[in-house]
Amino acid sequence: MYIFAFLSLLAVTTAFPQRRGGNRNGGGGQRTTAQQQAAQIPQGVSQAADGSTILDDTVNVNGLPIRFRVSAPADQFMAASGVQGAAATSPNGTMGINVLLHGDGGQSFFDFPNQNVQANTMGVALLAPDPNLFWGGGQGLQRTDGVAHAQAVNDFIQTELPQRVAFNNSQVFFTGVSGGSLLMSGFFIPAQMQNYPNSGVLLNCGGLPPQVDFVNAAQVMPQTTIHFQSTQSELQNLQQSIPQAVTAYEQLAAQQGLNTDQINTLQTVDNTPAGGHCEFDGQDFSSGIQVMANSYSNIVQPGGNGQVTGLGAPSNGQVRTGVVGNENLQFVGGQKRWVVPSDVRRWVVTEDP
Ligand SMILES: *[C@@H]1O[C@H](CO)[C@@H](O)[C@H](O)[C@H]1NC(C)=O
Ligand SMILES: *[C@@H]1O[C@H](CO)[C@@H](O)[C@H](O)[C@H]1NC(C)=O
């Protein structure tokens, strides 16, 4: 009885700071979720760093609210999109797209590091339909809503996006960040990649072996480029799951009859930069991801030379190391707990100066 009372008190006191932190933005008596806080950031039309037009809106897909950002030259938007200057009349466009799935908490959705057109490829970012803004829901390596979220991402690209912007559906590429990389490698690639011929996937600071049956591996494995990017001091549970993912994908390719050279051309891995989770520039979460996004075409698109500008030391900037024989990444230290880095929700509207 006394022990129970003591534990309850402990639970209340430890929960309290979190509740207070949540209340700051929302008012009212309930803790506001990350998703509710994100809803306070206005949607609409704005300008991208390279002068492209960004459309930010939400659409319901399979009962899930999918908030999206599309950054494209104005004339590539479908005339019905409402974007000023929209001129496309057919969804069959000439430009590719690079779809980004953010990490836990949604920072990269709001940073939108892939917003500039790169190699004739436009940027798209999607916000996880989850109270915590975790792609795949759940937490840590357990992404309990992975199947539904991967399906929603696919259905958004197949049915909703073409109503808003013209793109070439044979040039659809993907970028994962942390939890977004878990959804991509654990669920999306095995279940949905058959719909994206000749695609490339940049998996930043996260990886999981396939968690669901692999659909049509015979078609997907020989034509999908996958790059795993980590750092020396990655989160400890990712130090386990990223090498497991590298090994699983390599084996899938080998099972489809690909030889070592073919696998090493399609599947590459690097964790040379010294730094913590996603700190690819050796400095910081957001700036590290920006460095990778700035070079995604070099990394996973046809003709890319694998060179990334701005990686942290001692990297030499070349990240396309074939996976065969390099599955066993070497790590140093790294945080134990799966943490949402403290700076990961800089986008939150606070009353602090
Ligand atoms: C777009 O291309 C597909 C084939 O990829 C074709 O089936 C469809 O009719 C085209 N749509 C339009 C509006 O041109
Ligand atoms: C779409 O992309 C494919 C693959 O790169 C290419 O063969 C095709 O010509 C492109 N279509 C258009 C309309 O640009």
Side-chain angles (χ1 to χ4, degrees):
M1 180 74 114
Y2 290 113
I3 289 171
F4 178 74
F6 173 72
L7 287 177
S8 304
L9 185 65
L10 197 68
V12 168
T13 48
T14 50
F16 190 60
Q18 213 184 355
R19 287 172 188 276
R20 273 181 62 93
N23 274 349
R24 217 174 22 190
N25 307 307
Q30 296 288 308
R31 176 179 174 234
T32 45
T33 64
Q35 191 176 35
Q36 288 165 335
Q37 289 169 4
Q40 295 174 15
I41 311 251
Q43 303 185 137
V45 175
S46 60
Q47 199 180 60
D50 69 349
S52 298
T53 299
I54 297 175
L55 173 63
D56 180 332
D57 201 359
T58 301
V59 65
N60 204 291
V61 178
N62 309 333
L64 297 172
I66 299 295
R67 183 171 178 178
F68 60 89
R69 285 183 166 180
V70 179
S71 183
D75 62 0
Q76 299 300 304
F77 283 93
M78 295 292 284
S81 67
V83 170
Q84 199 178 5
T89 51
S90 161
N92 291 347
T94 57
M95 297 179 70
I97 57 170
N98 172 25
V99 180
L100 179 139
L101 303 184
H102 59 75
D104 290 359
Q107 183 67 40
S108 311
F109 175 82
F110 292 104
D111 288 346
F112 203 178
N114 58 324
Q115 65 186 258
N116 291 348
V117 171
Q118 191 177 132
N120 200 41
T121 306
M122 308 175 284
V124 174
L126 302 178
L127 192 66
D130 175 73
N132 298 312
L133 303 179
F134 292 180
W135 271 114
Q139 60 178 324
L141 297 179
Q142 303 301 320
R143 299 287 153 157
T144 49
D145 299 322
V147 170
H149 285 191
Q151 188 70 53
V153 170
N154 174 73
D155 294 358
F156 172 82
I157 297 168
Q158 297 289 333
T159 65
E160 295 295 338
L161 194 56
Q163 297 177 39
R164 291 161 177 87
V165 70
F167 63 95
N168 183 339
N169 63 10
S170 298
Q171 293 182 26
V172 179
F173 298 86
F174 297 90
T175 298
V177 176
S178 190
S181 296
L182 300 184
L183 185 79
M184 282 305 306
S185 53
F187 299 89
F188 189 91
I189 297 175
Q192 308 294 343
M193 195 54 84
Q194 60 164 345
N195 298 327
Y196 303 95
N198 304 308
S199 184
V201 186
L202 172 56
L203 296 169
N204 296 300
C205 41
L208 265 187
Q211 305 292 298
V212 293
D213 287 345
F214 208 110
V215 182
N216 214 347
Q219 177 211 315
V220 172
M221 297 318 298
Q223 50 170 260
T224 305
T225 301
I226 302 175
H227 177 73
F228 296 88
Q229 183 67 44
S230 182
T231 49
Q232 289 188 25
S233 300
E234 182 56 272
L235 294 181
Q236 286 193 2
N237 52 5
L238 294 175
Q239 293 183 18
Q240 309 291 318
S241 71
I242 293 172
Q244 287 168 359
V246 170
T247 302
Y249 274 97
E250 179 187 323
Q251 285 173 354
L252 275 158
Q255 283 160 12
Q256 301 311 320
L258 298 181
N259 65 32
T260 297
D261 283 350
Q262 290 169 322
I263 296 173
N264 280 343
T265 302
L266 287 165
Q267 301 183 9
T268 54
V269 62
D270 181 78
N271 78 323
T272 50
H277 184 51
C278 311
E279 293 172 352
F280 306 111
D281 60 348
Q283 315 265 322
D284 174 80
F285 183 92
S286 290
S287 59
I289 291 161
Q290 187 65 59
V291 156
M292 294 304 296
N294 288 347
S295 294
Y296 75 78
S297 179
N298 272 352
I299 306 168
V300 295
Q301 289 191 305
N305 63 11
Q307 208 60 41
V308 178
T309 304
L311 282 181
S315 171
N316 63 9
Q318 175 54 247
V319 298
R320 288 188 53 86
T321 301
V323 293
V324 180
N326 296 301
E327 305 84 357
N328 201 0
L329 299 173
Q330 297 303 301
F331 295 101
V332 187
Q335 283 183 286
K336 255 210 182 72
R337 288 183 53 233
W338 181 284
V339 284
V340 178
S342 57
D343 64 348
V344 91
R345 273 163 58 190
R346 262 182 217 141
W347 53 265
V348 168
V349 182
T350 73
E351 287 147 26
D352 297 343

mmCIF file of all heavy atoms in Angstrom, residues 92-95 120 167-171 173 197-198 302, ligand 2:
data_model
loop_
_atom_site.group_PDB
_atom_site.id
_atom_site.type_symbol
_atom_site.label_atom_id
_atom_site.label_comp_id
_atom_site.label_asym_id
_atom_site.label_seq_id
_atom_site.Cartn_x
_atom_site.Cartn_y
_atom_site.Cartn_z
ATOM 1 N N ASN A 92 1.229 13.456 -66.049
ATOM 2 C CA ASN A 92 2.440 12.810 -66.560
ATOM 3 C C ASN A 92 3.492 13.862 -66.883
ATOM 4 O O ASN A 92 3.592 14.329 -68.004
ATOM 5 C CB ASN A 92 2.121 11.991 -67.817
ATOM 6 C CG ASN A 92 1.260 10.775 -67.491
ATOM 7 O OD1 ASN A 92 1.104 10.413 -66.330
ATOM 8 N ND2 ASN A 92 0.718 10.165 -68.518
ATOM 9 N N GLY A 93 4.261 14.227 -65.896
ATOM 10 C CA GLY A 93 5.253 15.282 -66.076
ATOM 11 C C GLY A 93 6.603 14.748 -66.502
ATOM 12 O O GLY A 93 6.789 13.547 -66.711
ATOM 13 N N THR A 94 7.556 15.653 -66.602
ATOM 14 C CA THR A 94 8.912 15.292 -67.037
ATOM 15 C C THR A 94 9.910 15.308 -65.888
ATOM 16 O O THR A 94 11.043 14.846 -66.044
ATOM 17 C CB THR A 94 9.410 16.272 -68.104
ATOM 18 O OG1 THR A 94 9.351 17.582 -67.569
ATOM 19 C CG2 THR A 94 8.554 16.193 -69.368
ATOM 20 N N MET A 95 9.520 15.837 -64.720
ATOM 21 C CA MET A 95 10.454 15.916 -63.597
ATOM 22 C C MET A 95 10.216 14.766 -62.616
ATOM 23 O O MET A 95 9.104 14.275 -62.465
ATOM 24 C CB MET A 95 10.287 17.254 -62.855
ATOM 25 C CG MET A 95 10.617 18.471 -63.719
ATOM 26 S SD MET A 95 10.384 20.038 -62.844
ATOM 27 C CE MET A 95 11.744 19.975 -61.663
ATOM 28 N N ASN A 120 16.801 17.816 -61.900
ATOM 29 C CA ASN A 120 15.447 17.710 -62.479
ATOM 30 C C ASN A 120 14.472 16.940 -61.576
ATOM 31 O O ASN A 120 13.496 16.375 -62.039
ATOM 32 C CB ASN A 120 15.506 17.046 -63.865
ATOM 33 C CG ASN A 120 14.267 17.349 -64.696
ATOM 34 O OD1 ASN A 120 13.765 18.466 -64.696
ATOM 35 N ND2 ASN A 120 13.750 16.341 -65.379
ATOM 36 N N PHE A 167 4.436 14.896 -62.442
ATOM 37 C CA PHE A 167 5.770 14.306 -62.279
ATOM 38 C C PHE A 167 5.849 13.019 -63.073
ATOM 39 O O PHE A 167 4.836 12.445 -63.464
ATOM 40 C CB PHE A 167 6.096 14.062 -60.788
ATOM 41 C CG PHE A 167 5.190 13.079 -60.090
ATOM 42 C CD1 PHE A 167 5.535 11.734 -59.967
ATOM 43 C CD2 PHE A 167 3.982 13.496 -59.534
ATOM 44 C CE1 PHE A 167 4.711 10.826 -59.308
ATOM 45 C CE2 PHE A 167 3.142 12.596 -58.885
ATOM 46 C CZ PHE A 167 3.495 11.256 -58.775
ATOM 47 N N ASN A 168 7.074 12.604 -63.308
ATOM 48 C CA ASN A 168 7.322 11.360 -64.038
ATOM 49 C C ASN A 168 7.320 10.215 -63.030
ATOM 50 O O ASN A 168 8.219 10.119 -62.193
ATOM 51 C CB ASN A 168 8.682 11.452 -64.751
ATOM 52 C CG ASN A 168 8.964 10.233 -65.589
ATOM 53 O OD1 ASN A 168 8.392 9.156 -65.380
ATOM 54 N ND2 ASN A 168 9.864 10.394 -66.540
ATOM 55 N N ASN A 169 6.302 9.358 -63.122
ATOM 56 C CA ASN A 169 6.202 8.311 -62.095
ATOM 57 C C ASN A 169 7.209 7.174 -62.292
ATOM 58 O O ASN A 169 7.209 6.212 -61.530
ATOM 59 C CB ASN A 169 4.762 7.800 -61.954
ATOM 60 C CG ASN A 169 4.251 7.142 -63.217
ATOM 61 O OD1 ASN A 169 5.026 6.889 -64.151
ATOM 62 N ND2 ASN A 169 2.954 6.862 -63.265
ATOM 63 N N SER A 170 8.085 7.311 -63.275
ATOM 64 C CA SER A 170 9.222 6.387 -63.376
ATOM 65 C C SER A 170 10.480 6.995 -62.762
ATOM 66 O O SER A 170 11.576 6.456 -62.902
ATOM 67 C CB SER A 170 9.500 6.038 -64.838
ATOM 68 O OG SER A 170 8.385 5.385 -65.395
ATOM 69 N N GLN A 171 10.314 8.137 -62.110
ATOM 70 C CA GLN A 171 11.455 8.789 -61.444
ATOM 71 C C GLN A 171 11.057 9.235 -60.042
ATOM 72 O O GLN A 171 11.067 10.419 -59.721
ATOM 73 C CB GLN A 171 11.942 9.988 -62.254
ATOM 74 C CG GLN A 171 12.550 9.604 -63.594
ATOM 75 C CD GLN A 171 13.074 10.803 -64.340
ATOM 76 O OE1 GLN A 171 13.422 11.818 -63.744
ATOM 77 N NE2 GLN A 171 13.125 10.704 -65.650
ATOM 78 N N PHE A 173 11.962 8.938 -56.128
ATOM 79 C CA PHE A 173 13.059 8.600 -55.212
ATOM 80 C C PHE A 173 12.631 8.906 -53.783
ATOM 81 O O PHE A 173 11.643 9.605 -53.556
ATOM 82 C CB PHE A 173 14.320 9.384 -55.583
ATOM 83 C CG PHE A 173 14.808 9.041 -56.963
ATOM 84 C CD1 PHE A 173 14.307 9.694 -58.078
ATOM 85 C CD2 PHE A 173 15.738 8.032 -57.144
ATOM 86 C CE1 PHE A 173 14.727 9.356 -59.359
ATOM 87 C CE2 PHE A 173 16.166 7.676 -58.425
ATOM 88 C CZ PHE A 173 15.665 8.340 -59.534
ATOM 89 N N PRO A 197 9.639 1.727 -60.216
ATOM 90 C CA PRO A 197 10.757 1.148 -60.964
ATOM 91 C C PRO A 197 11.988 2.051 -60.940
ATOM 92 O O PRO A 197 11.870 3.284 -60.954
ATOM 93 C CB PRO A 197 10.196 1.025 -62.389
ATOM 94 C CG PRO A 197 9.047 1.973 -62.446
ATOM 95 C CD PRO A 197 8.478 2.026 -61.070
ATOM 96 N N ASN A 198 13.155 1.439 -60.878
ATOM 97 C CA ASN A 198 14.432 2.157 -60.959
ATOM 98 C C ASN A 198 14.554 3.260 -59.927
ATOM 99 O O ASN A 198 15.084 4.326 -60.192
ATOM 100 C CB ASN A 198 14.622 2.750 -62.362
ATOM 101 C CG ASN A 198 14.533 1.666 -63.422
ATOM 102 O OD1 ASN A 198 15.210 0.655 -63.332
ATOM 103 N ND2 ASN A 198 13.658 1.865 -64.393
ATOM 104 N N PRO A 302 20.763 7.854 -60.829
ATOM 105 C CA PRO A 302 21.640 7.345 -61.886
ATOM 106 C C PRO A 302 22.716 8.380 -62.250
ATOM 107 O O PRO A 302 22.419 9.568 -62.361
ATOM 108 C CB PRO A 302 20.674 7.134 -63.064
ATOM 109 C CG PRO A 302 19.328 6.953 -62.439
ATOM 110 C CD PRO A 302 19.338 7.796 -61.205
HETATM 111 C C1 LIG B 2 10.237 9.313 -67.420
HETATM 112 O O1 LIG B 2 11.355 8.669 -66.865
HETATM 113 C C2 LIG B 2 11.793 7.537 -67.614
HETATM 114 C C3 LIG B 2 12.920 6.887 -66.796
HETATM 115 O O2 LIG B 2 13.948 7.787 -66.575
HETATM 116 C C4 LIG B 2 12.202 7.979 -69.006
HETATM 117 O O3 LIG B 2 12.579 6.864 -69.759
HETATM 118 C C5 LIG B 2 11.054 8.699 -69.670
HETATM 119 O O4 LIG B 2 11.447 9.211 -70.923
HETATM 120 C C6 LIG B 2 10.541 9.839 -68.814
HETATM 121 N N1 LIG B 2 9.352 10.425 -69.380
HETATM 122 C C7 LIG B 2 9.233 11.728 -69.580
HETATM 123 C C8 LIG B 2 7.910 12.159 -70.151
HETATM 124 O O5 LIG B 2 10.100 12.544 -69.322
#
